[in-house]
Amino acid sequence: MPVNAIYTVEQKIESIEAQLLDAVNLVSDDELFFASYLHGHFDLVIVQTMAQPEPSVSLMDRLMQQSLAKAFANGELEQEEQESVLALWQNLIKT
């Protein structure tokens, strides 16, 4: 397991967690809801990602997309809310 790959994933995890936690201070009630919803999925995805032999940011992104797709297929959130959660995730994973 390459040390740099883990460090990069850990850095990204820390960055995303900080942004999600900071949402309490910076966003509207709706955005806070989306951040909190996403944080629940993110916590599970972190565990899944780090349990893999070669964790990576792209793996974490793929696992998050799968987790959200499964939740949305089960009727979690309205379409507009789903789009907002996905947009938030895209913003977090790309920055």
Side-chain angles (χ1 to χ4, degrees):
M1 189 171 350
V3 174
N4 288 342
I6 292 173
Y7 184 71
T8 302
V9 170
E10 289 175 347
Q11 275 189 317
K12 190 62 172 177
I13 288 169
E14 288 175 12
S15 172
I16 290 172
E17 282 189 330
Q19 291 176 70
L20 288 171
L21 292 173
D22 197 37
V24 173
N25 300 316
L26 301 175
V27 297
S28 70
D29 288 346
D30 285 343
E31 291 168 319
L32 178 58
F33 170 77
F34 301 141
S36 296
Y37 179 86
L38 190 61
H39 204 172
H41 283 270
F42 186 63
D43 287 343
L44 296 173
V45 167
I46 290 170
V47 172
Q48 294 171 339
T49 300
M50 298 311 290
Q52 298 303 310
E54 294 189 33
S56 67
V57 174
S58 63
L59 173 63
M60 183 171 59
D61 183 28
R62 187 169 62 252
L63 291 171
M64 178 61 85
Q65 296 285 348
Q66 291 171 353
S67 179
L68 292 173
K70 182 178 178 181
F72 297 163
N74 286 332
E76 290 187 20
L77 305 180
E78 298 295 323
Q79 180 67 35
E80 188 175 298
E81 294 168 326
Q82 292 174 9
E83 292 169 6
S84 294
V85 168
L86 287 172
L88 175 58
W89 174 247
Q90 290 305 310
N91 184 51
L92 292 169
I93 197 69
K94 301 299 180 201
T95 57

